[in-house]
Amino acid sequence: MTGADTRADGRLRLTILGGYLGSGKTTWLRHQLYHGRFGRAHILVNEAAETPVDDTLLQQHAAGMTLLAGGCACCAGQPELLKSLRHLCDHRSRVASDSARLERIVLETSGLADPGTIAAAIQADPMLVHHILLDEIIVLADAVNIIHQLGTEHLGRAQIEAADRIILTKVDAQLSGAFSAVYATLSQLNPGASITSAVKGEEIDPSVDKAVSPIPLPALGELADLAAIEPTRLKIDNSVDWAAFSVWLSALLHARGNDIVRVKGVFDTPAGFLLLQGVRNSVQAPEILPSSSTQRANEIVFIGRNFAKDDLGKSLEYFSLRTG
Ligand SMILES: [Zn+2]
């Protein structure tokens, strides 16, 4: 997160904080703000059915705060969310001094929200897509209840699948044996995410026994037929140029968007190394990595279902020969 703030890009960074009801989002966020971990951030809080947050505690260490009314921001409350984001972008563009300009928005979603749907809505907005850079989807999961939620709720799985970073909360000594199994279950559901733990907002390092098997989850209605999501890493050789690659990628996203949860990668172009990030079938405008970045190879990671690495490689090769 700290590295992200030094990237040479004028867009306002967005962190989406998700997690089921009672996963401890507000406690965690308050702790991060208190320790200055989000820099100069405006906090958007969306409550659907939770106890109202104590605004003053959040507000004290934030650049500003807005409570989003109108329901859950991933569905009924989406217009309200987009309106607030546009307003923040507008306001920021009128601030002349760099040092006074807002750096980041942190959206604390309602426990009922699917963060992936929110990310997709922002990227589909013609104005926001140019002004906001989705930095990270952080999903909190209550270590005691997450397995039950994953076994009974589509939403619980959608939240975990959308995460770049999963933080297990309410981890304590008593749980240490079971923790490895919870960890294994989450990393099987979303192998692309990093998984850490926190107690009252502070990161801890519980020992994880990587040999422990995941807890089998029951099939959930329509999810029963879906394969597990997994990352497919595609290294692209330098003979493929950016123009051909971007046409290929958009064709792929149109054809296979429903199978893709996230796309992340770096591509060398005449303008510099571009960082690509997408959620489902929309990719946000890439940002140029600073020249100090150590990344020097074209590599894209697709996180999704039913991808075969060889097929992706062959499809790209075929496509670039035809257009090149
Ligand atoms: Zn919703």
Side-chain angles (χ1 to χ4, degrees), residues 46 48 71-78 110 112-114 117-118 155:
N46 184 218
C72 170
C74 90
C75 41
Q78 204 183 91
S110 86
L112 303 174
D114 171 7
T117 305
I118 293 176
L155 176 66

Side-chain angles (χ1 to χ4, degrees), residues 35-283:
H35 291 283
R37 293 190 186 136
F38 284 117
R40 230 179 3 265
H42 187 99
I43 312 301
L44 291 175
V45 181
N46 184 218
E47 303 164 39
E50 284 142 299
T51 23
V53 289
D54 187 342
D55 308 5
T56 48
L57 277 171
L58 278 178
Q59 225 156 358
Q60 249 169 17
H61 301 285
M65 182 174 148
T66 310
L67 279 172
L68 291 174
C72 170
C74 90
C75 41
Q78 204 183 91
E80 195 64 33
L81 168 69
L82 298 179
K83 199 174 102 189
S84 285
L85 291 173
R86 284 190 207 109
H87 175 81
L88 286 168
C89 290
D90 246 20
H91 186 263
R92 180 173 183 260
S93 66
R94 289 197 299 269
V95 174
S97 118
D98 277 353
S99 60
R101 207 169 288 147
L102 190 64
E103 291 169 355
R104 180 182 297 276
I105 295 171
V106 179
L107 169 62
E108 182 188 340
T109 64
S110 86
L112 303 174
D114 171 7
T117 305
I118 293 176
I122 293 167
Q123 285 174 32
D125 185 280
M127 185 258 186
L128 294 177
V129 72
H130 295 297
H131 290 91
I132 287 185
L133 182 72
L134 174 61
D135 214 18
E136 197 174 30
I137 297 178
I138 300 172
V139 172
L140 267 54
D142 167 346
V144 181
N145 295 309
I146 185 68
I147 296 299
H148 175 74
Q149 287 154 11
L150 293 174
T152 52
E153 300 279 348
H154 284 92
L155 176 66
R157 291 198 198 182
Q159 289 177 342
I160 292 299
E161 288 187 354
D164 295 305
R165 178 148 63 115
I166 299 165
I167 300 172
L168 279 165
T169 57
K170 306 179 188 177
V171 178
D172 62 28
Q174 177 186 27
L175 195 79
S176 60
F179 180 76
S180 296
V182 173
Y183 183 96
T185 310
L186 294 176
S187 48
Q188 186 183 49
L189 271 179
N190 185 346
S194 69
I195 306 175
T196 60
S197 315
V199 170
K200 296 191 166 58
E202 196 53 46
E203 216 161 299
I204 57 157
D205 190 14
S207 54
V208 176
D209 180 354
K210 297 263 165 92
V212 172
S213 305
I215 299 161
L217 296 171
L220 282 180
E222 57 177 331
L223 281 187
D225 298 333
L226 295 181
I229 65 162
E230 50 191 357
T232 305
R233 198 173 290 273
L234 186 64
K235 290 200 191 292
I236 300 160
D237 82 69
N238 291 336
S239 66
V240 177
D241 78 359
W242 167 247
F245 173 77
S246 56
V247 177
W248 173 77
L249 181 63
S250 61
L252 177 75
L253 295 174
H254 277 102
R256 299 286 307 276
N258 290 336
D259 288 334
I260 296 172
V261 180
R262 299 280 277 158
V263 178
K264 286 186 240 182
V266 169
F267 203 97
D268 188 12
T269 73
F273 275 87
L274 295 187
L275 180 66
L276 288 171
Q277 280 215 70
V279 177
R280 298 203 182 140
N281 57 4
S282 64
V283 172

